[in-house]
Amino acid sequence: MRSLALVLVALAFAAAPATALPAASVVPLIHHPLDQVDPFGVSFGGADSFSARYRAVAAQTGRFDFPLFLADGRDPVQQLPDPARPYEGTLEAYQVALQARSGSMAPVSLAITATANGGNADVELKITPRGSVELQGSSLRLFVAITEDALHFQPPPEISNGLTDHRFVVRRLLDAGPVNLTATTRTLTLPLESSWQQDRVAVAAWLQAGPTEGRFKPSEVLQAISAPLDGVERVQEGRGVLLELYSATWCDPCLYGDLALEAIVVQAGAAEPLVPVRTSYWLAPDQPTLVLAASLAAGATAFALARRRA
């Protein structure tokens, strides 16, 4: 009888719905360019998933250089802030940008459930405003991205920055359309590629302001959230900060940007460190001119796209 009771209790727990979990406080996305060297670029809006959305950075700053970091779409950090301290200086600059956004109250809370369903990801997103917020000329759009973590790619040394396992790589980006600051539930179905490792896939969603300044700054992210494909609801009651990095596998300064962002995400408890350690600091290749040419060409292309669309 006792064994039967234990079985019934176990079945009851198995049948019980999963309890919602608090969402991570940071949502990392690493975007890559569309070129003939980097294999991870994602086409979006006539360019790639980063430069198509942040073309205004070139007009605002006069440059568009790798690595390029944005916290909630604000205050770009470009290249290496302190070349004498490439990793430490980059990490500190990214942390400052994150702290500036972490302290602001989000006007909405988000809840997301992502479930693997064959070759698709079924996503349910709940948007709940906190009180009444007037947009005052701002427009808002919902974006959804699929990321895959720890993608192994080891090109020849002359076109590699030494990083061989790439984290939080954007695999797909969807503009899910305009939203208002009203209680809303959106359901989406996103196709998954068979080559993606589903246990390393996550779905990120965020609300982002349009290009016209109003209640919110242009491109400002109001709230962000992410969840793995486990069917468990994540709830973002506090501030979820969207951390976006524009990186390239052939760009040697990007090594420090990737490592700095990874350290921040691991420290926030939003990801685990990869073991064994799989990175090596960039060494001068046998053919340095090839890397330089690839870097300059891709950087010029991104800058030209941003300027044409500004």
Side-chain angles (χ1 to χ4, degrees):
M1 290 294 293
R2 182 178 179 183
S3 60
L4 177 59
L6 290 174
V7 170
L8 292 175
V9 170
L11 290 174
F13 274 106
T19 303
L21 298 174
S25 61
V26 296
V27 178
L29 305 177
I30 298 184
H31 305 262
H32 289 255
L34 286 169
D35 60 34
Q36 296 180 342
V37 180
D38 193 313
F40 300 132
V42 172
S43 179
F44 181 83
D48 59 61
S49 57
F50 186 92
S51 60
R53 294 168 45 240
Y54 293 117
R55 57 181 67 97
V57 170
Q60 293 167 355
T61 67
R63 58 195 180 103
F64 201 87
D65 297 325
F66 295 100
L68 203 168
F69 174 83
L70 291 165
D72 277 348
R74 301 286 307 279
D75 302 326
V77 179
Q78 302 194 57
Q79 295 183 316
L80 300 180
D82 184 355
R85 301 165 57 246
Y87 173 70
E88 294 83 357
T90 302
L91 177 61
E92 290 169 2
Y94 292 2
Q95 287 173 328
V96 168
L98 168 60
Q99 290 168 2
R101 296 300 299 170
S102 296
S104 58
M105 175 62 71
V108 297
S109 64
L110 298 177
I112 189 172
T113 306
T115 307
N117 183 11
N120 297 311
D122 292 336
V123 180
E124 181 181 81
L125 181 73
K126 300 173 184 175
I127 303 170
T128 306
R130 295 191 173 105
S132 176
V133 178
E134 296 294 332
L135 294 180
Q136 300 173 0
S138 291
S139 60
L140 300 178
R141 301 190 76 83
L142 170 64
F143 288 92
V144 180
I146 294 178
T147 64
E148 187 178 4
D149 195 18
L151 291 176
H152 185 77
F153 175 63
Q154 190 167 4
E158 61 268 19
I159 52 173
S160 172
N161 60 16
L163 192 67
T164 58
D165 290 278
H166 302 268
R167 307 215 66 176
F168 324 123
V169 176
V170 174
R171 289 302 225 168
R172 195 181 302 281
L173 178 64
L174 172 68
D175 180 346
V179 293
N180 296 315
L181 288 181
T182 57
T184 307
T185 298
R186 298 283 293 271
T187 57
L188 303 163
T189 298
L190 305 175
L192 302 171
E193 298 291 338
S194 59
S195 60
W196 299 348
Q197 297 189 51
Q198 291 190 7
D199 61 336
R200 296 182 180 179
V201 167
V203 177
W206 64 96
L207 304 183
Q208 189 161 25
T212 303
E213 184 162 358
R215 169 65 177 82
F216 303 101
K217 297 290 185 182
S219 298
E220 181 177 355
V221 174
L222 280 64
Q223 183 67 291
I225 193 170
S226 66
L229 300 177
D230 59 5
V232 178
E233 184 180 53
R234 264 68 175 184
V235 180
Q236 192 68 275
E237 291 289 358
R239 163 64 74 171
V241 181
L242 186 71
L243 303 180
E244 296 184 88
L245 182 67
Y246 195 33
S247 184
T249 58
W250 43 257
C251 157
D252 64 346
C254 293
L255 169 67
Y256 303 107
D258 282 48
L259 294 178
L261 179 57
E262 179 184 23
I264 288 172
V265 175
V266 169
Q267 184 178 19
E272 295 293 330
L274 297 182
V275 290
V277 175
R278 76 288 178 218
T279 56
S280 59
Y281 282 91
W282 185 83
L283 301 175
D286 296 332
Q287 300 175 337
T289 54
L290 180 59
V291 173
L292 179 61
S295 175
L296 290 175
T301 299
F303 182 82
L305 282 170
R307 285 187 66 91
R308 279 205 306 268
R309 298 172 182 277

